[in-house]
Amino acid sequence: MAVPDVKENFSGTINEVTIGATSEEGGTRTSTVTIGGETGYPMLGFEAEYPHPPAFALEISTAGVEGWHDECRKHLADVAGDLGAWAAKCEEWGADMICLCLDAAHPDNEGRSPQQCADDVKRVLEATGLPLLVWGTDVDEVDNNVLPKCTQAAAGENCLFGTAKEDNYRTIAASCLADNHKVLAEAPSDINLSKQLHILLRDVGVDLADMVMHPTTGALGFGMVYIYTTIERGRIAALSGDRLLQQPVLVNIGKEIGRVKEAVSPAQADPQWGSHEVRAPLWESASAISYVESGAELLVLRNPEALRQAKTAIESMWP
Amino acid sequence: MPNVTFQPAGRTVEVAPGVTVLEAARRADVPIRNECGGHGVCGRCVVEIRRGEVERRPARHTPPAGKDLACRCVITGQDVEVFVPAESRQVETEVTIRQVEALPQAFPPAGAVVEKVSLQLAPPSLDDNLADAERLVRKLQKWREEDNYSISLRLLRDLPLELRHAEWNPEVILSVEPWGRRVLRAGPPRGRALCLAAVDVGTTTVKARLLAPGAHRVASCYNSQTMFGPDVISRIVHCQRDEEQGYADLQLRVVGDINRLLGELVRESGLERSDVWGVVVSGNTTMMHLLLGMYPIWIRREPYVGCAYLLPSVSPRDVGLKINPEGRIFCLPSVSSYVGADITAGVLATGLADREKPSALIDLGTNGEIVVGCRDFLVCCSASAGPAFEGGASASGSRALPGAIDSVCGGERVSWETIGGAAPVGICGTGYIDLLAVLLKEGIMDKTGKFAPGAPGVRRLDDDTLEYLFVSAEEAGRDDDIVLTQADVDNLIRAKGAIYAAGNVLLESLGMTWSDLEAIMLAGGFGERLNKDNAVTIGLLPDVPRERIEFVGNTSLAGALMAAQDATGYWRTREIARSMTYFELSTHPGFMDQFVSACFLPHTDPERFPTVTGAG
């Protein structure tokens, strides 16, 4: 008896989004990153197309590594004071993209000016040929002052800028449109809220194909399951033809791991948890691998060792 | 303990620190307007603290400079003097009278819940020596094919004299009961009209109509329980807060409101309270509990059970209603703790249970209820919508009374019309529906209802807060601007989202969609000038051919009226209540998801509203 064909065919496809522009495309990047394009549920190579493996960005911050845990800091001791050197190091470690966080502009930090932030963006673009993700402060007023300067400074480079939120999307959308960047749309753990935000962005002129969605992120053991199922639900709707959910998904893991006690507590404080050197990157890479299995395409990490582990694992199982 | 003195009333009350000025005013019997239950939302309780210091709590509504909201000011250790300006005073909520069409029949019609009959009894003789009461019943049994009559002891004591005064030709007044008829009076003809009343006790508004020869008026006022909270939950919480006092407060308030409305109506018709012999009351389950003084607290606790849904007729003496003390009060039956008599009345009034094809009745009250059905089945559910569409708990909200903005048009300049063409005093439900649709179309707010900074009319109150200036104080028939706040918009969107999502869940459970319904009947007391397109534009109503959408007005009052005029209607409401299947949404797995996706203008799924979004 013949084995029945159980392959599922879906009407929808995840959007392909390219970040970065090489000199032919009017930018200065030496490489670009394309994510999305899948035609089925994650990892089911027998029935769907997976044209692009997930991309990994390493996070660098204008506020340095203050508050980052020791296992991250130990890799960054030489470069944390110099954004350019830090970015170049990330490229060396195998990152596909750089995620530049403008933390220093946050009023709780030094309140770096919009112009200074724009200069930071330029410095990173000069130091690395990788595509760039620029992440604001999550303070609406600050973002609205800082991000337009930064999109301008990066004009032509086709970066990804975030985050646009339901309460604050107009300014970032307008400046991304003006300077031809992609928009990172953040809505907390609910596909309806994601859809609503995508409609709002579309209403102010952003093409649905120019968005990447961030359903917010939870670390392994700390809410990951919620986000995992949100991504899954979104994926089911997207593949069934819902254009408002066909955006590729980003998760920002490194920052979340930084809040997980099990991942950041040094061995002398919690000896029962074993070697911190093993535990910290493992928590980060395990979270990342799980998210890839839920469908996430772009993952932001902090720890270069976690990046190595996650990339190795994904390469071995990517269909 | 500190003293709080209220001016210009000149009343002083001693209160413990921690009490709000609003609560102190209540205790001093200086009622201050307040429609949100003291949550700093409605902005009606503006006062001036003239002497002493109070602690100020944050409010969603910012009072004018130098003034405070009474509900946000907490008494500390100091004596305080408070001035209550005229616009904040509320001795009693105003009664509005509206003309409606006169009822055709003479009163009371035969078969009404209370009837009058003139009988000619054969006087007793040695050959026919039946007792007086049995003599009366014998005659009544011949008058109507009905065996069971009951006469109270109080009546029996007077009966011999009354019958003889009437020279054996008494006028008898009877009420219908499940077991037969109750004799309310038998005696010489009073020479006065016998009239009935229909009352709708809404969470936000109380309405009454007299059924009397020539009566053609509906009286309405805000439910003055509102001062204890804008919705049923906060009222029930008030009952728990101060047990005995709490629900006595609420009962006294609503009985007072009904008495005031009936007082106005009988006065206008040249009648007396004692001419009213029967009152049919409709309202949601909690309102019925509070009216009758039944303890309601289990309505809000799982598994959400009320005291009684099928209520007996009761004596006005036991409730405190000032009508003829021998009269009766008929309460229409509820279905569940959140689908009340207002809905069974609505089903009766609209004939939903007699239709051949399924239709829906949506009652857009403070609690939004939806019934879907036809003569073969009836299912219902309830979604807490809040009082937004009745003009309650909004910064410039108003009931549908003269001066309320009930229609809004877009264009170069947003324009409006008011009920009766009076200077605008506020916005009523249909005005809000229009306003949302217009602001959305004009790009003044986005599809989540957030105002666009810098759009015409949008002004910044502080870093985070925008509001829309609709009518400036100069143009308005009141002292301050008529505005739409972000909080108002959020409330309206939640309200419309809850209604739409509830209907969707109900229909999905039946394997139906909105387009399977022959008619969608929208009931509510929010003004008659509903613009269907606008209601669809904001996603309150589904995008179906517009002729299927019908505005049916206040069906709670209409149903009470029908039941009063015709006792078979009264019995029918009991059948309706028994046959309705109730869906509990609070435990429904799909409701929350539907709700979030409906909290968007018009909806997160554009395909559901093709004529609005252009999506196919």
Side-chain angles (χ1 to χ4, degrees), chain B residues 259-270:
Chain B
N259 282 337
R260 218 140 29 77
L261 293 180
L262 294 180
E264 278 304 309
L265 287 171
V266 294
R267 197 178 51 77
E268 288 238 330
S269 304

Side-chain angles (χ1 to χ4, degrees), chain A residues 4-319:
Chain A
D5 184 2
V6 294
K7 284 179 195 166
E8 279 201 66
N9 275 311
F10 295 98
S11 57
T13 306
I14 307 305
N15 298 338
E16 276 190 338
V17 177
T18 298
I19 299 155
T22 60
S23 52
E24 293 96 76
E25 293 144 351
T28 62
R29 303 298 83 206
T30 54
S31 63
T32 61
V33 161
T34 302
I35 50 175
E38 303 94 315
T39 59
Y41 294 148
M43 299 289 182
L44 304 180
F46 67 92
E47 67 175 18
E49 299 294 319
Y50 302 89
H52 309 287
F56 288 88
L58 277 177
E59 177 184 342
I60 67 177
S61 167
T62 56
V65 290
E66 194 65 38
W68 292 27
H69 66 82
D70 295 344
E71 275 304 310
C72 273
R73 293 170 77 135
K74 80 174 187 195
H75 299 289
L76 303 169
D78 299 338
V79 293
D82 178 350
L83 281 176
W86 191 352
K89 197 76 186 166
C90 292
E91 190 169 353
E92 208 175 287
W93 280 320
D96 304 309
M97 280 179 69
I98 301 297
C99 170
L100 172 63
C101 289
L102 303 175
D103 298 323
H106 196 288
D108 292 350
N109 297 327
E110 55 188 288
R112 221 161 150 71
S113 74
Q115 188 52 53
Q116 286 172 312
C117 293
D119 293 343
D120 291 337
V121 169
K122 277 194 172 144
R123 191 168 315 136
V124 173
L125 286 168
E126 280 158 18
T128 173
L130 295 181
L132 189 61
L133 155 61
V134 180
W135 202 297
T137 59
D138 292 338
V139 179
D140 295 348
E141 206 190 317
V142 175
D143 280 4
N144 290 343
N145 289 326
V146 164
L147 292 177
K149 278 274 179 201
C150 296
T151 60
Q152 237 176 335
E157 298 287 5
N158 187 25
C159 301
L160 176 60
F161 272 85
T163 56
K165 297 191 271 298
E166 184 192 292
D167 290 337
N168 194 48
Y169 63 92
R170 291 172 189 273
T171 308
I172 181 172
S175 32
C176 283
L177 279 173
D179 299 314
N180 284 317
H181 298 293
K182 304 291 192 283
V183 179
L184 179 58
E186 177 177 297
S189 187
D190 185 308
I191 60 167
N192 285 310
L193 298 180
S194 288
K195 287 177 71 169
Q196 291 171 7
L197 177 58
H198 299 161
I199 295 173
L200 295 174
L201 285 167
R202 187 180 59 181
D203 284 353
V204 293
V206 181
D207 197 299
L208 288 174
D210 288 334
M211 302 173 197
V212 173
M213 60 191 273
H214 180 218
T216 66
T217 310
L220 172 65
F222 292 81
M224 189 180 79
V225 285
Y226 291 103
I227 309 297
Y228 190 105
T229 52
T230 305
I231 297 174
E232 268 190 321
R233 285 191 59 200
R235 205 35 65 96
I236 292 167
L239 293 169
S240 312
D242 191 339
R243 297 187 57 233
L244 295 169
L245 286 168
Q246 287 171 351
Q247 290 67 22
V249 171
L250 172 147
V251 281
N252 187 356
I253 295 166
K255 193 175 179 183
E256 290 304 314
I257 298 299
R259 304 181 216 260
V260 171
K261 192 185 176 203
E262 289 84 341
V264 305
S265 178
Q268 55 271 38
D270 287 294
Q272 75 281 13
W273 287 338
S275 158
H276 191 209
E277 193 179 358
V278 174
R279 182 166 24 102
L282 199 54
W283 207 282
E284 198 164 327
S285 59
S287 301
I289 295 161
S290 306
Y291 273 119
V292 170
E293 287 164 355
S294 76
E297 286 95 350
L298 178 53
L299 303 101
V300 182
L301 304 182
R302 273 182 179 175
N303 189 328
E305 175 54 19
L307 174 75
R308 192 192 61 75
Q309 291 176 1
K311 279 201 124 180
T312 311
I314 299 298
E315 268 160 32
S316 70
M317 62 186 188
W318 188 251

Side-chain angles (χ1 to χ4, degrees), chain B residues 389 405-408 427-435 526-531 551:
Chain B
F389 286 114
I405 295 175
D406 67 343
S407 161
V408 183
I427 312 168
C428 73
T430 51
Y432 276 117
I433 292 170
D434 285 356
L435 187 55
F526 55 88
E528 315 261 324
R529 292 183 57 191
L530 177 81
N531 179 314
F551 181 70

Side-chain angles (χ1 to χ4, degrees), chain B residues 162-184:
Chain B
E162 292 284 348
L163 289 180
R164 284 167 181 83
H165 274 155
E167 294 174 344
W168 302 100
N169 294 328
E171 173 189 272
V172 181
I173 298 176
L174 305 118
S175 69
V176 300
E177 300 291 340
W179 40 259
R181 280 182 164 71
R182 184 191 303 273
V183 178
L184 303 180

Side-chain angles (χ1 to χ4, degrees), chain B residues 524-596:
Chain B
F526 55 88
E528 315 261 324
R529 292 183 57 191
L530 177 81
N531 179 314
K532 293 175 188 176
D533 283 326
N534 285 341
V536 175
T537 297
I538 65 165
L540 167 65
L541 295 178
D543 196 352
V544 295
R546 303 297 185 265
E547 68 274 10
R548 293 194 199 167
I549 298 171
E550 292 169 28
F551 181 70
V552 290
N554 183 335
T555 53
S556 177
L557 187 64
L561 195 72
M562 279 174 75
Q565 292 176 82
D566 182 358
T568 55
Y570 175 57
W571 303 127
R572 186 88 174 93
T573 57
R574 294 185 160 228
E575 280 168 35
I576 290 167
R578 272 192 286 253
S579 64
M580 249 195 264
T581 308
Y582 174 66
F583 275 67
E584 175 64 56
L585 291 184
S586 67
T587 54
H588 192 285
F591 178 70
M592 208 50 209
D593 196 44
Q594 293 271 8
F595 175 63
V596 174

Side-chain angles (χ1 to χ4, degrees), chain B residues 498-521:
Chain B
I499 299 285
Y500 183 85
N504 241 18
V505 166
L506 204 56
L507 287 166
E508 277 180 13
S509 309
L510 293 165
M512 294 170 70
T513 65
W514 291 104
S515 47
D516 296 328
L517 299 174
E518 188 179 51
I520 293 164
M521 295 177 280

